[in-house]
Short mmCIF file of all heavy atoms in Angstrom, two decimals:
data_model
loop_
_atom_site.label_atom_id
_atom_site.label_comp_id
_atom_site.label_asym_id
_atom_site.label_seq_id
_atom_site.Cartn_x
_atom_site.Cartn_y
_atom_site.Cartn_z
N MET A 23 -26.87 -6.87 -28.36
CA MET A 23 -26.98 -6.16 -27.08
C MET A 23 -25.70 -5.38 -26.67
O MET A 23 -25.72 -4.43 -25.99
CB MET A 23 -27.34 -7.11 -25.91
CG MET A 23 -28.74 -7.71 -26.05
SD MET A 23 -29.22 -8.71 -24.64
CE MET A 23 -27.91 -10.01 -24.77
N MET A 24 -24.55 -5.90 -27.11
CA MET A 24 -23.32 -5.38 -26.55
C MET A 24 -22.58 -4.42 -27.49
O MET A 24 -21.74 -3.61 -26.97
CB MET A 24 -22.37 -6.57 -26.29
CG MET A 24 -22.80 -7.55 -25.30
SD MET A 24 -23.03 -6.67 -23.67
CE MET A 24 -23.67 -8.06 -22.65
N PHE A 25 -22.80 -4.41 -28.75
CA PHE A 25 -22.18 -3.54 -29.67
C PHE A 25 -22.53 -2.05 -29.30
O PHE A 25 -23.60 -1.78 -28.91
CB PHE A 25 -22.51 -3.85 -31.13
CG PHE A 25 -21.72 -4.93 -31.70
CD1 PHE A 25 -22.13 -5.61 -32.76
CD2 PHE A 25 -20.52 -5.39 -31.11
CE1 PHE A 25 -21.52 -6.76 -33.32
CE2 PHE A 25 -19.81 -6.45 -31.73
CZ PHE A 25 -20.33 -7.13 -32.78
N ARG A 26 -21.64 -1.20 -29.62
CA ARG A 26 -21.93 0.20 -29.36
C ARG A 26 -22.56 0.98 -30.40
O ARG A 26 -23.34 1.89 -30.22
CB ARG A 26 -20.62 0.89 -28.97
CG ARG A 26 -20.11 0.38 -27.63
CD ARG A 26 -18.82 1.13 -27.24
NE ARG A 26 -18.35 0.56 -25.97
CZ ARG A 26 -17.43 1.14 -25.18
NH1 ARG A 26 -16.95 2.29 -25.62
NH2 ARG A 26 -17.10 0.61 -24.12
N GLY A 27 -22.11 0.63 -31.68
CA GLY A 27 -22.78 1.31 -32.85
C GLY A 27 -24.09 0.75 -33.23
O GLY A 27 -24.28 -0.41 -33.15
N LEU A 28 -25.05 1.66 -33.55
CA LEU A 28 -26.44 1.22 -33.81
C LEU A 28 -26.48 0.35 -35.08
O LEU A 28 -27.22 -0.63 -35.13
CB LEU A 28 -27.43 2.43 -33.97
CG LEU A 28 -27.68 3.12 -32.76
CD1 LEU A 28 -28.57 4.42 -33.03
CD2 LEU A 28 -28.42 2.20 -31.75
N VAL A 29 -25.64 0.66 -36.09
CA VAL A 29 -25.64 -0.10 -37.38
C VAL A 29 -25.13 -1.52 -37.07
O VAL A 29 -25.63 -2.52 -37.55
CB VAL A 29 -24.81 0.62 -38.43
CG1 VAL A 29 -24.74 -0.21 -39.63
CG2 VAL A 29 -25.50 1.99 -38.80
N HIS A 30 -24.12 -1.53 -36.24
CA HIS A 30 -23.56 -2.86 -35.91
C HIS A 30 -24.61 -3.72 -35.05
O HIS A 30 -24.63 -4.94 -35.31
CB HIS A 30 -22.26 -2.69 -35.12
CG HIS A 30 -21.14 -2.15 -35.92
ND1 HIS A 30 -20.65 -0.86 -35.62
CD2 HIS A 30 -20.48 -2.61 -36.98
CE1 HIS A 30 -19.71 -0.57 -36.50
NE2 HIS A 30 -19.52 -1.59 -37.30
N CYS A 31 -25.28 -3.05 -34.25
CA CYS A 31 -26.30 -3.77 -33.44
C CYS A 31 -27.39 -4.31 -34.41
O CYS A 31 -27.89 -5.39 -34.20
CB CYS A 31 -26.97 -2.83 -32.48
SG CYS A 31 -25.97 -2.40 -31.08
N ALA A 32 -27.77 -3.48 -35.37
CA ALA A 32 -28.94 -3.90 -36.32
C ALA A 32 -28.38 -5.07 -37.14
O ALA A 32 -29.15 -5.99 -37.39
CB ALA A 32 -29.27 -2.78 -37.17
N LEU A 33 -27.11 -5.07 -37.57
CA LEU A 33 -26.56 -6.15 -38.40
C LEU A 33 -26.45 -7.40 -37.49
O LEU A 33 -26.73 -8.54 -37.98
CB LEU A 33 -25.31 -5.74 -39.03
CG LEU A 33 -25.38 -4.65 -40.07
CD1 LEU A 33 -24.00 -4.29 -40.54
CD2 LEU A 33 -26.20 -5.02 -41.22
N ALA A 34 -26.08 -7.26 -36.26
CA ALA A 34 -26.01 -8.50 -35.38
C ALA A 34 -27.39 -9.01 -35.18
O ALA A 34 -27.61 -10.22 -35.06
CB ALA A 34 -25.33 -8.02 -34.09
N LEU A 35 -28.42 -8.12 -35.08
CA LEU A 35 -29.77 -8.60 -34.90
C LEU A 35 -30.21 -9.34 -36.14
O LEU A 35 -30.94 -10.33 -36.03
CB LEU A 35 -30.66 -7.39 -34.58
CG LEU A 35 -32.19 -7.64 -34.26
CD1 LEU A 35 -32.20 -8.41 -32.99
CD2 LEU A 35 -32.92 -6.39 -34.16
N ALA A 36 -29.84 -8.87 -37.28
CA ALA A 36 -30.16 -9.60 -38.52
C ALA A 36 -29.54 -11.02 -38.55
O ALA A 36 -30.12 -11.97 -38.96
CB ALA A 36 -29.67 -8.78 -39.78
N ILE A 37 -28.25 -11.14 -37.96
CA ILE A 37 -27.65 -12.45 -37.86
C ILE A 37 -28.51 -13.34 -36.94
O ILE A 37 -28.72 -14.57 -37.16
CB ILE A 37 -26.27 -12.32 -37.45
CG1 ILE A 37 -25.34 -11.63 -38.54
CG2 ILE A 37 -25.73 -13.62 -37.06
CD1 ILE A 37 -24.01 -11.35 -38.21
N ALA A 38 -29.01 -12.79 -35.85
CA ALA A 38 -29.79 -13.52 -34.89
C ALA A 38 -31.12 -13.94 -35.49
O ALA A 38 -31.51 -15.11 -35.32
CB ALA A 38 -30.10 -12.68 -33.66
N PHE A 39 -31.69 -13.05 -36.28
CA PHE A 39 -32.97 -13.42 -36.98
C PHE A 39 -32.68 -14.52 -37.99
O PHE A 39 -33.48 -15.51 -38.05
CB PHE A 39 -33.48 -12.20 -37.75
CG PHE A 39 -34.20 -11.20 -36.83
CD1 PHE A 39 -34.39 -9.90 -37.31
CD2 PHE A 39 -34.72 -11.57 -35.58
CE1 PHE A 39 -34.92 -8.94 -36.49
CE2 PHE A 39 -35.30 -10.58 -34.78
CZ PHE A 39 -35.41 -9.29 -35.25
N ALA A 40 -31.57 -14.41 -38.70
CA ALA A 40 -31.27 -15.47 -39.66
C ALA A 40 -30.99 -16.87 -39.04
O ALA A 40 -31.44 -17.89 -39.50
CB ALA A 40 -30.08 -15.09 -40.55
N GLY A 41 -30.35 -16.76 -37.87
CA GLY A 41 -30.13 -17.99 -37.09
C GLY A 41 -31.41 -18.69 -36.64
O GLY A 41 -31.53 -19.91 -36.67
N ILE A 42 -32.35 -17.83 -36.25
CA ILE A 42 -33.68 -18.39 -35.76
C ILE A 42 -34.40 -19.06 -36.96
O ILE A 42 -34.88 -20.13 -36.89
CB ILE A 42 -34.54 -17.25 -35.16
CG1 ILE A 42 -33.92 -16.83 -33.83
CG2 ILE A 42 -35.98 -17.79 -34.98
CD1 ILE A 42 -34.59 -15.58 -33.25
N GLY A 43 -34.34 -18.38 -38.11
CA GLY A 43 -34.96 -18.98 -39.30
C GLY A 43 -34.31 -20.27 -39.73
O GLY A 43 -34.97 -21.18 -40.12
N ALA A 44 -32.91 -20.29 -39.66
CA ALA A 44 -32.28 -21.58 -39.99
C ALA A 44 -32.58 -22.62 -38.94
O ALA A 44 -32.64 -23.87 -39.37
CB ALA A 44 -30.75 -21.31 -39.99
N LEU A 45 -32.77 -22.28 -37.65
CA LEU A 45 -33.15 -23.26 -36.68
C LEU A 45 -34.53 -23.83 -37.01
O LEU A 45 -34.76 -25.05 -36.92
CB LEU A 45 -33.22 -22.63 -35.31
CG LEU A 45 -31.83 -22.48 -34.59
CD1 LEU A 45 -31.98 -21.65 -33.36
CD2 LEU A 45 -31.21 -23.78 -34.34
N TYR A 46 -35.49 -23.01 -37.47
CA TYR A 46 -36.81 -23.49 -37.91
C TYR A 46 -36.66 -24.45 -39.06
O TYR A 46 -37.27 -25.51 -39.04
CB TYR A 46 -37.73 -22.34 -38.27
CG TYR A 46 -38.25 -21.55 -37.06
CD1 TYR A 46 -38.42 -20.13 -37.15
CD2 TYR A 46 -38.71 -22.22 -35.85
CE1 TYR A 46 -38.87 -19.42 -36.02
CE2 TYR A 46 -39.16 -21.47 -34.84
CZ TYR A 46 -39.31 -20.07 -34.93
OH TYR A 46 -39.80 -19.35 -33.93
#
Side-chain angles (χ1 to χ4, degrees):
M23 292 186 299
M24 298 296 179
F25 281 157
R26 292 183 179 195
L28 288 177
V29 176
H30 294 112
C31 289
L33 294 176
L35 187 64
I37 291 172
F39 285 156
I42 292 171
L45 282 170
Y46 285 140

